[in-house]
Amino acid sequence: MTAPDSAPDSAPNSVRPHGAGVAVLSDIHAVLPALEAVLAEPDVRAADRIVLTGDLLAGPLPRQTLARLRALGDRAVWISGNADREMAAARPGNEPADPMDAWAAGQLGPDELEFLGSLPATVTLEVAGLGPVLFCHATPRNDTEVALVDSRPERWAEVLAGVPDAVRTVVCGHTHMPFVRFTHGRLVVNPGSVGMPYGRPGAHWALLGPGGGAVTLRHTAFDHEAACARIARESDSPSAAAWADTYVRARYSAEEALAAFGPGDGRNTAPGTDG
């Protein structure tokens, strides 16, 4: 990995090549070492925009991760995920169901939770070579809806039904599995997960735009053993070490993830009944 050789992301008036592309980072889940590894990538440092497609802080280092993301300044485009929404709404007796998410919500102050609650569900940006691109967390209409690379065409027709005709590319996250699929005249891109990958350790992300509208799925390897040790050392969560051992080391395979997520796309129901 090339060492950073330009001004910090937060430096004022920093100059980046025009049309250098859009980096998409999804499902960071407050795994700061993974985020830092991706942000050090030359193509991410050069990108015009860094789009954050949700589930950003629900994990072991939420405050530190928020600070690093805010340091990106106006390069960052923030989108809410289901975990962000649930954290923002957390109150005594109304905590997120996931214990790590509930703990992470408790680490943030009122202003930070209000910021999470203010994030939009979708953003549409003009990307060189691709035209208007719609970014969301799970699907354009719902932040928990499941749509997979092998979902039925009828499922994709449902989840894309409300997308404006001018939008020919949709970028989503949520399932932590990277893919590119062409369906119903649109390109659908899932960058995978920065912080909670399935199948192999390392951070998954995507690069859009350079090279005449190319879409590239990327993988950044980093020392995940050192990352797990750092998380155990720096997180105040009592379950941080076990959580990192499971998710940063990618104990679950992509096949196990597909088996777990698959029923959520309605594939086992009659056509027209899976909402």
Side-chain angles (χ1 to χ4, degrees), residues 88-172:
R91 301 289 186 276
N94 185 39
E95 296 85 358
D98 184 280
M100 179 58 82
D101 296 6
W103 174 86
Q107 303 306 297
L108 302 180
D111 291 347
E112 295 164 327
L113 292 173
E114 183 179 359
F115 171 73
L116 278 188
S118 73
L119 299 181
T122 67
V123 169
T124 299
L125 296 178
E126 192 78 19
V127 178
L130 294 172
V133 177
L134 187 151
F135 298 86
C136 60
H137 179 62
T139 73
R141 66 181 187 174
N142 189 295
D143 66 8
T144 60
E145 197 166 41
V146 172
L148 302 164
V149 66
D150 63 344
S151 290
R152 296 171 295 110
E154 295 83 1
R155 178 62 165 184
W156 281 109
E158 291 174 354
V159 302
L160 297 174
V163 176
D165 290 342
V167 173
R168 310 317 296 174
T169 303
V170 174
V171 180
C172 55

